[in-house]
Amino acid sequence: MKIISRYLRPEDIPALLVLERAKWESHQAADAASLMLRIETFPQLCIGSFCADSGRALASLFMRPVSAQAFVAPTRWENAADVRLHHGAPDAGDALFGISLSSLDSKAVTQIFRFFHPRALKAGWRDIYLGSPIPGFRKARAQNPGLQVWQYAHARRGLRVNEPLDPQLRYYFRKGFKDIVSIQENYFPHEDSLNYGVIVRGSIPLSAPKQLWRHTPICILQTFSLLALR
């Protein structure tokens, strides 16, 4: 299957709604108005992967600028994700918050990051933050009632000690989101996570020489990106 990744457009919303409903529960999925607002507000921070033959949406990533200190204090996803609260705010620096990463195909997610990486270098972005559920926590707490959320979030697999024990944290870890920034109580409604969310950070490879990349043609950055992401 050939996968095409590109910036999202308003006409993509019907396909994106199918993806949202396939991936999330009804109270978690974004509606058409929310998707439209994200695309219109930050058009170069909304990316999707599509099947080239059918046009089916396979993955989507919505982002917004964020301050690196945003997740030190308690926060909730509904506030962090509301682009109306952040559009037109003072320059947040060089970090992004991933409002939503939805996928039906891991290769489609990889394609999104391959598409975005050279453009992120060009724009001067350095870090991406995501809020992850921890879907194994409820079961682990049931087996061990004294288990603290921070113990579970930082737990590692027995045979592969570099990787998180929780399957969702492990998924993001393999995508480059290896730093746990904070653990948020009542972050979003997610029964298997007992409503906790873990903020993870991924650094964009090769992003340090910001001024150099701003003046580098995108075709050269695409070549550098292919080497870096391998």
Side-chain angles (χ1 to χ4, degrees):
M1 177 176 59
K2 183 178 179 182
I3 298 173
I4 296 175
S5 295
R6 56 171 173 77
Y7 292 125
L8 293 171
R9 303 186 289 259
E11 55 264 34
D12 296 321
I13 288 179
L16 293 171
L17 287 173
V18 174
L19 174 62
E20 287 283 317
R21 291 163 185 161
K23 180 65 179 178
W24 306 107
E25 300 292 335
S26 59
H27 63 282
Q28 298 169 330
D31 58 20
S34 297
L35 296 175
M36 178 69 79
L37 183 62
R38 295 173 191 174
I39 293 171
E40 290 181 339
T41 306
F42 298 113
Q44 293 187 318
L45 297 177
C46 301
I47 304 163
S49 286
F50 299 84
C51 173
D53 295 325
S54 68
R56 184 167 65 110
L58 301 174
S60 65
L61 175 63
F62 296 91
M63 298 174 285
R64 70 164 180 83
V66 68
S67 167
Q69 288 74 44
F71 303 107
V72 176
T75 188
R76 299 186 64 164
W77 177 84
E78 61 187 17
N79 294 326
D82 192 341
V83 297
R84 295 170 299 180
L85 301 178
H86 308 282
H87 181 48
D91 186 6
D94 52 14
L96 296 168
F97 171 63
I99 296 171
S100 174
L101 175 60
S102 304
S103 74
L104 299 175
D105 187 310
S106 62
K107 291 181 181 179
V109 176
T110 299
Q111 287 294 98
I112 280 180
F113 287 115
R114 285 179 178 172
F115 173 87
F116 183 61
H117 182 251
R119 293 160 178 83
L121 296 181
K122 186 76 173 174
W125 302 117
R126 298 190 66 173
D127 296 305
I128 302 177
Y129 294 80
L130 292 174
S132 172
I134 43 175
F137 183 48
R138 182 177 68 161
K139 182 177 179 180
R141 169 75 63 87
Q143 294 172 343
N144 179 8
L147 181 67
Q148 299 298 308
V149 64
W150 63 267
Q151 293 174 307
Y152 178 77
H154 288 279
R156 291 294 188 257
R157 300 177 76 185
L159 298 178
R160 304 182 71 176
V161 294
N162 277 336
E163 293 188 340
L165 178 64
D166 184 82
Q168 191 66 34
L169 290 180
R170 186 162 63 248
Y171 172 82
Y172 286 135
F173 184 93
R174 292 174 178 175
K175 297 297 183 185
F177 294 87
K178 299 185 177 182
D179 299 324
I180 292 178
V181 176
S182 64
I183 300 171
Q184 301 287 338
E185 187 176 9
N186 294 320
Y187 181 67
F188 46 26
H190 194 272
E191 186 176 348
D192 286 340
S193 304
L194 300 182
N195 298 337
Y196 280 98
V198 177
I199 306 299
V200 293
R201 177 180 60 213
S203 295
I204 296 173
L206 301 179
S207 61
K210 291 174 58 174
Q211 296 306 316
L212 172 63
W213 299 140
R214 288 185 189 275
H215 301 286
T216 303
I218 191 68
C219 59
I220 295 177
L221 290 176
Q222 288 172 325
T223 301
F224 274 110
S225 292
L226 287 175
L227 296 173
L229 296 179
R230 284 176 183 169

